[in-house]
Amino acid sequence: MPITGLTRGGTSYVPEFLLAIDAAKCIGCGRCYKVCARGVLTLKGITDEDELVDLEDEDDEDEIERKVMVIADGDDCIGCGACARVCPSGCQSHGPVEAL
């Protein structure tokens, strides 16, 4: 049974939570990061060997080919969908989550 929520008017709905980000489609623009008030996302670098690295690691700075968004704390997602609405590349997957 999926998790359900209520609107302010009392109508029930099924939230669509962030499930995954396709690194091949992500352009690393950071728009989703900026609209997420829950700290669900973080920006990482991808090296020429396709490894994810933290951007704070100065040793890897020369090896970073491009930047991509990744899920830092998916458990904090509230299913608001703001990240999907601002994403220009459509790289995110959203869906309902089963109740525990």
Side-chain angles (χ1 to χ4, degrees):
M1 175 174 203
I3 294 173
T4 59
L6 292 175
T7 66
R8 185 170 130 179
T11 304
S12 68
Y13 71 98
V14 177
E16 298 266 318
F17 297 97
L18 178 61
L19 302 176
I21 298 174
D22 184 343
K25 289 182 179 179
C26 180
I27 61 172
C29 67
R31 292 176 186 168
C32 56
Y33 177 82
K34 291 175 184 173
V35 299
C36 180
R38 306 285 303 167
V40 173
L41 305 161
T42 193
L43 196 60
K44 296 269 186 170
I46 295 184
T47 67
D48 53 0
E49 297 170 353
D50 287 333
E51 293 178 13
L52 279 176
V53 294
D54 288 331
L55 295 177
E56 292 84 32
D57 292 343
E58 294 175 14
D59 298 339
D60 295 324
E61 192 172 311
D62 294 335
E63 298 175 12
I64 293 175
E65 291 285 313
R66 63 191 186 94
K67 297 174 184 175
V68 295
M69 200 59 60
V70 297
I71 300 173
D73 191 356
D75 288 345
D76 274 348
C77 179
I78 60 172
C80 70
C83 56
R85 287 191 297 278
V86 298
C87 180
S89 64
C91 65
Q92 303 169 359
S93 298
H94 293 79
V97 174
E98 297 297 317
L100 299 175

